[in-house]
Amino acid sequence: MASAIVRSTLRTALRGGHRVNSVASKRSFSSGASVEEEAREASKWEKITYVGIVACSVLAFVNLSKGHPHFDEPPAYPYLHIRNKEFPWGPDGLFEVKETPLMPH
């Protein structure tokens, strides 16, 4: 690590010192494109985004408007409600009321 720092310092000294304004020392974070190119690129991706939103909305509408099939009730298999002993509150489950008594008006 220290030898890398020493080599870097020697290289800089041999080149004539540290130049802050030289082109080689500047870091460019963009591609160097002009403002017009960047505006065209941003406009292009904005249009692509809008087309994607419309396409996804249409696909969602088509898929949701198809509906789905309704199946008959499955057969009452005997192993689904195995009750070896009665519940303290009766033969039905606590929240399963099979027959509701009719209320007189």
Side-chain angles (χ1 to χ4, degrees):
M1 178 73 175
S3 63
I5 295 172
V6 170
R7 275 187 279 148
S8 174
T9 306
L10 286 175
R11 238 184 274 133
T12 305
L14 291 175
R15 288 185 188 154
H18 185 65
R19 295 184 186 144
V20 176
N21 294 331
S22 70
V23 176
S25 66
K26 282 188 179 179
R27 291 184 67 181
S28 177
F29 291 105
S30 66
S31 64
S34 68
V35 175
E36 293 83 18
E37 285 182 64
E38 290 176 358
R40 280 194 304 262
E41 193 72 15
S43 175
K44 176 183 81 171
W45 283 105
E46 184 180 10
K47 291 173 187 169
I48 289 172
T49 301
Y50 290 142
V51 168
I53 289 170
V54 170
C56 289
S57 299
V58 168
L59 284 174
F61 178 76
V62 168
N63 283 336
L64 292 173
S65 66
K66 285 181 182 177
H68 58 278
H70 293 271
F71 300 105
D72 296 330
E73 290 291 323
Y77 295 110
Y79 57 82
L80 291 180
H81 288 285
I82 296 175
R83 294 180 178 153
N84 295 331
K85 106 180 181 183
E86 287 288 323
F87 291 124
W89 51 84
D92 296 329
L94 184 59
F95 299 107
E96 299 173 13
V97 178
K98 302 288 184 195
E99 295 178 14
T100 307
L102 295 175
M103 300 286 287
H105 292 267

